[in-house]
Amino acid sequence: MKQVFIRVPTKLLLLIIGTLLLLSAGFSTVSLSRLNAEFKAYQAETLIQGQEQFKLHEKTLRENLRVWIESFADVVHLQEKNDFDDLTKEISKQFDALQLHHNVEKMWLIDSKKNILYSSSITPNYVLNSVNKTLDIQEPQHLLYCQVYCEQLLTVPLLNKQGDMVVVALAVSLVDMIYAINQSIKSEIAIVSFSKSDQAKLHEAQFLSASDIKLMRTLFVQPKKQISVEAIKAMGVQVDINSHSYLINLMSLATNNQRAYYMALIDDVTPITSEYKQYRYQFLLSAVLIFVTLAGLVYFVSSPLTHRLIVLSNALPLLARKEFDQFRRIKLKRKSFFSDELDILADATSELSYELEQLNLEVEQKTKELENIAMYDLLTGLPNRNMLNYQLRKSVANLSQFKHKIAVLFLDLDDFKKVNDSHGHGQGDRLLIEAANRVRLSIRNVDVACRFGGDEFVVVLGKIENVEEAVVVAEEILQRFKTPIKIGSSIFYVSTSIGIAFTEDKLIKAEELISYADIAMYEAKDSGGAQYHVYHSEMYQRVAHRVMLEGEVRQALAKNQFSLSLQPQLVAKTKRIYGFEALLRWQHPSRGMISPDDFIPILENSAHMIELGYWIIRRCFELAVTIKNHGLTDSRIAINLSAGQFVDQNLPNFLQGLLVEFSISASHFELELTEQTLVKNVDHTIRMMEVLKGLGFSFAIDDFGTGYSSLAYLKQMPVDVIKIDKSFIFGMLENHSDYQIIMSTIAMVKNLGLTVVAEGVETSAQLRSLMQNDCDLIQGYYFAKPIPEADLLEFIDAHIVENHWKTKAL
């Protein structure tokens, strides 16, 4: 959305005008409220005056007539008469005078027996009712009655000599009273009637009498003022005719079943409305003059300020474009004796230009440093992973323009973690610096050597013709690492494993090349390290197979596809059952039974193996309880622990929880570790073994003689059992070297006070030879193959009696 530009003077003017408008509205509201209040007060006062004048003249009329009647009775000496004949005769003669002087329209003379002694017209019911009431209370009564017109009815009782009562009733016209009220309050007066309804309108009025009937008819038929009578009674109504304004008020007089009668008071309020209009005109004129004056003043004051602001706003983009000198050449300050905020702003912007110029220089310097940090490793000085990705993508992109090929070498130092663990990270960092120098010296100037992370390095070889050139570089690197690295007084023998990925494919991605070289590096490391491997598709298949197996292991655990088989271990001389070794089995739903040799090496260092290992341990506890309850109370189960399982910090807590859960002693279990697991981290191994020893577990070294064990390690570690690998047992009778190794191992282990187990015993000759050389325990097919856990109890019942083997004599 496009932004609308409004100048500051315009905004100030609008602000002032808005403020004045608000003030004007406030003053106008107050003034109008005051005028309305005055008008309402005038209306109320007029209505009160009319009511008071009506009451006054009505009372005067009644008093005059009552005095006349009582005086007339005295004139005819009524109190001296025994009847009313003279009164009747004389009063009839006065009717014309009463009409002329007192506007008496009708007159009646009625005695106490309701006899009409005299009547100037037909006697209506309201007259008879008033006479009856007068006779009852014997006091004068008055009544304002309206029908075709309104008249004042006065009934006065008179007594004769006999005490008989007669009532004189007079109906008097209100014409004189209306005229008198008109003269008193200077208001036009009219007697009007409306239908007896809340919705009666002004134009529906019927006039009974009026001081100015023409004016009345004109006012009452104005189309814009057709409001209800109820509203007029409450607040009056103002009617404008021919530049004159009139206020109409209604004062209630009487009602009957069909109509309501009012006295209308009409006042000329033209002077009041003219005064209000003149006041409003003067107010508007004053407001306009103030607005115009302020507008000119605002423009005069703000225009120079806004001009300077525009100059400054036009100059500020120069700072964004880093044109600092040109910015400072612009004149932002004025020559004046007095300074203002804009002068302060000009000084601040000038100072800001110097600060920004200095900051820009620092930013450029820091940017170069950050670019260096972003693209180079701070420790070794080699390009880092960001630079590697940039250079490798560029090299891959160049494959489509040039005929040469590229290769990626992925290097990982062998057993570098041992250096950090044994000598600290400071020594490790210095070793990495030396390793980076050796890699750098092994490549050409056109090649790129990068530190990928940790103890990993990546070399990009561009402009090569075949993979043999990459192999030459790999061999050069391997050769340089054969020379020991001396750091201070320490000497390190560090080798490296190298994976090589070679390509001429223009569509390959840089990430894929690094991944292929990484896979080849792991192949080299799995083959023993200190060598290189060139990537080929079979390696990817093996990695994919490993990933697939890892996923299937999770599913196998969830679907209970794993089980245990247990192979008995017997005391060689007595054939007593020593225990069972738990061996893992995987019954795959589609591939059948999968050998542990196929999946254990793949999963050895994965998190899946730890999860699987915990399942094996729990299952062994369940089986141990089952075997104990079946009668073999002194047997134990040997549990193989993977390297990842053994370094897991949660292992002691897990085993402690199982001991409590199954209420079984740790003496029923033997934890088996391979030699490779023991020597990976000797200090950690000893600490972990001591913790588990404290819980009551015993330890066995599995596959003894195939790894890196030494007597020094055996003396340090709390080992209980040594298991001679079956590869030595198989050839012990045919191969004299194997026989000597076995006999020497047995003798050495016995001297250390440990127990010896021979695995893979399959013949009686092997058994006799081992017994003659004091071997403690026998395990192998000669006695039994591993027994599926489902068949274990049946097997025990068939082959074991009172904890001893009952068959297989030598």
Side-chain angles (χ1 to χ4, degrees):
M1 182 177 179
K2 187 176 180 180
Q3 192 173 16
V4 179
F5 177 77
I6 302 177
R7 298 185 66 219
V8 172
T10 304
K11 291 182 178 179
L12 291 174
L13 182 61
L14 291 175
L15 177 62
I16 292 175
I17 290 176
T19 304
L20 289 176
L21 285 175
L22 289 175
L23 292 174
S24 300
F27 287 132
S28 299
T29 302
V30 172
S31 300
L32 288 174
S33 299
R34 181 175 58 81
L35 290 173
N36 288 332
E38 292 177 355
F39 192 80
K40 288 182 179 179
Y42 174 79
Q43 174 198 358
E45 182 181 357
T46 301
L47 189 60
I48 291 172
Q49 287 181 356
Q51 291 174 340
E52 290 178 349
Q53 287 295 321
F54 184 83
K55 291 179 181 178
L56 176 63
H57 288 282
E58 184 185 33
K59 183 178 180 181
T60 302
L61 178 62
R62 290 197 309 268
E63 291 296 324
N64 290 338
L65 290 174
R66 185 179 61 80
V67 170
W68 184 91
I69 292 172
E70 292 175 351
S71 299
F72 183 74
D74 292 337
V75 171
V76 297
H77 305 286
L78 179 62
Q79 293 182 349
E80 299 175 0
K81 306 292 184 180
N82 293 323
D83 54 28
F84 299 103
D85 294 339
D86 293 338
L87 176 64
T88 302
K89 185 185 300 183
E90 294 300 327
I91 203 169
S92 62
K93 296 177 181 179
Q94 298 298 322
F95 178 67
D96 292 337
L98 289 173
Q99 280 186 314
L100 178 63
H101 298 292
H102 296 285
N103 284 324
V104 175
E105 299 287 336
K106 301 170 186 175
M107 184 172 67
W108 297 270
L109 188 63
I110 302 173
D111 62 15
S112 58
K113 295 180 181 180
K114 312 298 191 303
N115 296 318
I116 301 175
L117 305 179
Y118 173 79
S119 173
S120 63
S121 64
I122 298 174
T123 306
N125 289 332
Y126 73 90
V127 174
L128 294 176
N129 291 335
S130 181
V131 169
N132 289 335
K133 187 173 181 181
T134 303
L135 291 172
D136 290 339
I137 64 175
Q138 298 182 7
E139 289 181 359
Q141 295 291 312
H142 61 88
L143 171 69
L144 182 66
Y145 181 79
C146 297
Q147 189 66 40
V148 178
Y149 53 86
C150 287
E151 57 188 12
Q152 179 73 47
L153 177 65
L154 177 66
T155 55
V156 179
L158 299 175
L159 296 175
N160 61 9
K161 182 178 180 181
Q162 298 296 326
D164 296 330
M165 185 176 292
V166 68
V167 177
V168 178
L170 300 176
V172 184
S173 172
L174 300 183
V175 173
D176 287 345
M177 189 168 67
I178 291 173
Y179 176 77
I181 294 173
N182 173 256
Q183 293 300 313
S184 298
I185 62 176
K186 303 303 180 183
S187 297
E188 298 297 333
I189 309 296
I191 304 298
V192 295
S193 69
F194 298 92
S195 62
K196 191 177 180 181
S197 170
D198 292 339
Q199 303 302 321
K201 300 296 188 296
L202 188 65
H203 70 282
E204 298 173 355
Q206 293 182 4
F207 293 92
L208 279 69
S209 60
S211 59
D212 188 342
I213 188 64
K214 182 178 180 181
L215 175 64
M216 298 298 175
R217 293 187 183 281
T218 305
L219 292 176
F220 275 64
V221 297
Q222 285 297 302
K224 294 182 181 180
K225 295 297 179 180
Q226 301 310 316
I227 60 177
S228 67
V229 172
E230 290 298 320
I232 299 174
K233 285 170 61 179
M235 52 187 292
V237 63
Q238 183 178 338
V239 180
D240 296 328
I241 298 177
N242 299 328
S243 71
H244 284 269
S245 294
Y246 296 91
L247 175 64
I248 301 176
N249 285 310
L250 295 179
M251 186 178 72
S252 180
L253 295 179
T255 58
N256 56 32
N257 293 334
Q258 296 180 344
R259 300 189 69 79
Y261 297 85
Y262 300 90
M263 183 174 71
L265 303 176
I266 293 86
D267 293 282
D268 189 349
V269 293
T270 303
I272 298 175
T273 55
S274 298
E275 181 183 358
Y276 168 70
K277 291 179 180 179
Q278 184 178 4
Y279 169 79
R280 185 172 57 181
Y281 173 76
Q282 291 174 351
F283 180 83
L284 291 175
L285 180 61
S286 300
V288 171
L289 291 175
I290 292 173
F291 291 162
V292 172
T293 303
L294 286 176
L297 181 62
V298 167
Y299 183 81
F300 176 76
V301 172
S302 61
S303 288
L305 300 177
T306 54
H307 174 74
R308 294 170 63 192
L309 285 174
I310 291 174
V311 172
L312 179 59
S313 64
N314 291 332
L316 285 176
L318 296 174
L319 296 180
R321 295 195 296 268
K322 302 178 184 179
E323 299 175 7
F324 303 107
D325 292 335
Q326 185 175 350
F327 173 82
R328 288 191 284 269
R329 285 196 293 269
I330 297 175
K331 185 178 180 181
L332 299 177
K333 294 187 65 175
R334 60 176 182 172
K335 293 182 179 180
S336 175
F337 182 76
F338 299 102
S339 63
D340 55 20
E341 288 82 354
L342 288 181
D343 294 320
I344 297 174
L345 179 61
D347 291 336
T349 53
S350 179
E351 184 178 351
L352 177 64
S353 68
Y354 289 104
E355 294 290 338
L356 288 176
E357 186 174 17
Q358 181 63 29
L359 180 61
N360 182 62
L361 295 175
E362 294 178 3
V363 167
E364 290 179 354
Q365 179 182 354
K366 297 297 182 182
T367 300
K368 292 178 181 179
E369 294 177 1
L370 288 174
E371 289 176 352
N372 190 52
I373 293 173
M375 291 298 180
Y376 290 88
D377 178 56
L378 297 179
L379 178 64
T380 62
L382 292 178
N384 60 14
R385 189 180 296 192
N386 294 329
M387 179 67 83
L388 167 67
N389 292 331
Y390 170 74
Q391 292 292 348
L392 190 54
R393 288 193 185 100
K394 186 168 69 172
S395 298
V396 171
N398 289 336
L399 288 176
S400 59
Q401 301 178 11
F402 305 100
K403 295 182 179 180
H404 56 253
K405 292 85 175 175
I406 60 174
V408 172
L409 278 63
F410 200 107
L411 291 75
D412 184 88
L413 302 183
D414 299 326
D415 295 325
F416 176 74
K417 187 175 182 298
K418 290 183 180 179
V419 177
N420 278 337
D421 293 341
S422 59
H423 293 80
H425 289 278
Q427 291 284 72
D429 288 345
R430 286 190 284 274
L431 192 150
L432 285 173
I433 293 172
E434 179 58 28
N437 291 332
R438 294 189 179 190
V439 173
R440 187 189 293 112
L441 293 173
S442 304
I443 62 175
R444 304 169 298 178
N445 291 334
V446 295
D447 301 326
V448 178
C450 305
R451 186 186 179 194
F452 195 73
D455 61 335
E456 296 174 334
F457 300 89
V458 173
V459 174
V460 179
L461 302 177
K463 300 181 181 179
I464 61 174
E465 299 299 327
N466 49 57
V467 71
E468 284 74 17
E469 295 184 35
V471 170
V472 170
V473 175
E475 290 176 342
E476 171 70 15
I477 294 172
L478 291 174
Q479 185 63 36
R480 288 185 181 276
F481 274 92
K482 288 181 179 179
T483 303
I485 298 175
K486 185 177 181 181
I487 299 175
S489 60
S490 302
I491 297 178
F492 298 95
Y493 291 87
V494 179
S495 61
T496 181
S497 298
I498 303 175
I500 302 174
F502 174 80
T503 187
E504 55 183 328
D505 184 4
K506 303 177 181 61
L507 301 178
I508 197 169
K509 295 181 180 178
E511 296 81 3
E512 292 177 339
L513 269 177
I514 296 175
S515 176
Y516 295 158
D518 188 22
I519 291 172
M521 182 274 293
Y522 274 106
E523 286 285 328
K525 193 173 286 291
D526 290 342
S527 299
Q531 57 185 293
Y532 68 85
H533 273 209
V534 179
Y535 172 81
H536 51 79
S537 58
E538 288 79 3
M539 291 181 182
Y540 182 82
Q541 295 299 325
R542 284 195 291 272
V543 172
H545 179 63
R546 176 184 299 175
V547 173
M548 180 190 69
L549 272 180
E550 290 180 359
E552 289 185 342
V553 164
R554 294 297 299 270
Q555 295 183 12
L557 278 171
K559 297 179 180 179
N560 297 319
Q561 294 175 6
F562 287 107
S563 64
L564 296 180
S565 291
L566 293 96
Q567 190 171 29
Q569 296 175 336
L570 284 70
V571 178
K573 293 181 179 181
T574 64
K575 307 302 183 292
R576 182 177 62 83
I577 292 297
Y578 175 80
F580 301 86
E581 180 181 7
L583 302 171
L584 183 63
R585 296 292 182 262
W586 183 4
Q587 182 66 38
H588 196 279
S590 59
R591 290 186 282 165
M593 185 64 72
I594 300 178
S595 171
D597 294 337
D598 292 336
F599 68 87
I600 291 296
I602 293 176
L603 302 177
E604 181 70 28
N605 296 316
S606 70
H608 304 297
M609 190 64 210
I610 295 176
E611 183 180 359
L612 180 58
Y614 280 128
W615 178 87
I616 294 171
I617 295 172
R618 169 172 281 276
R619 186 62 186 141
C620 286
F621 269 74
E622 294 171 349
L623 292 174
V625 173
T626 301
I627 293 172
K628 180 181 177 183
N629 293 337
H630 201 67
L632 295 181
T633 58
D634 196 28
S635 66
R636 66 183 64 193
I637 294 181
I639 306 173
N640 290 282
L641 295 181
S642 67
Q645 193 92 57
F646 192 63
V647 298
D648 186 14
Q649 298 295 327
N650 190 46
L651 179 60
N653 293 332
F654 181 77
L655 290 172
Q656 177 68 45
L658 292 179
L659 292 174
V660 174
E661 179 182 350
F662 290 96
S663 299
I664 191 171
S665 172
S667 61
H668 289 280
F669 302 96
E670 188 176 90
L671 305 179
E672 291 191 5
L673 304 169
T674 64
E675 292 182 83
Q676 291 182 353
T677 300
L678 291 172
V679 300
K680 274 192 174 181
N681 189 331
V682 176
D683 293 337
H684 176 272
T685 299
I686 293 174
R687 287 195 300 270
M688 180 64 79
M689 291 179 74
E690 288 175 348
V691 172
L692 298 180
K693 265 286 189 178
L695 296 177
F697 292 95
S698 59
F699 285 94
I701 298 180
D702 195 14
D703 301 335
F704 187 81
T706 61
Y708 308 98
S709 296
S710 70
L711 290 175
Y713 289 157
L714 290 179
K715 289 172 66 177
Q716 294 179 49
M717 297 176 183
V719 178
D720 303 283
V721 178
I722 299 296
K723 300 185 71 172
I724 300 175
D725 189 65
K726 60 186 178 182
S727 62
F728 295 105
I729 303 298
F730 289 157
M732 64 177 291
L733 299 180
E734 293 81 17
N735 189 318
H736 183 70
S737 297
D738 289 346
Y739 182 81
Q740 290 299 323
I741 291 173
I742 292 172
M743 299 311 138
S744 300
T745 301
I746 293 174
M748 176 191 68
V749 173
K750 299 294 285 185
N751 288 332
L752 292 173
L754 306 179
T755 301
V756 180
V757 179
E759 293 183 301
V761 177
E762 296 184 357
T763 66
S764 59
Q766 293 172 344
L767 179 58
R768 281 194 298 269
S769 178
L770 291 168
M771 291 173 59
Q772 290 170 2
N773 287 276
D774 205 19
C775 181
D776 296 308
L777 303 175
I778 302 298
Q779 177 182 341
Y781 283 9
Y782 180 75
F783 289 101
K785 294 181 179 181
I787 306 153
E789 58 180 77
D791 303 330
L792 180 61
L793 297 182
E794 182 181 348
F795 178 87
I796 292 174
D797 292 338
H799 296 86
I800 300 174
V801 178
E802 295 181 356
N803 288 349
H804 286 74
W805 198 262
K806 68 178 183 180
T807 57
K808 284 285 184 184
L810 291 177

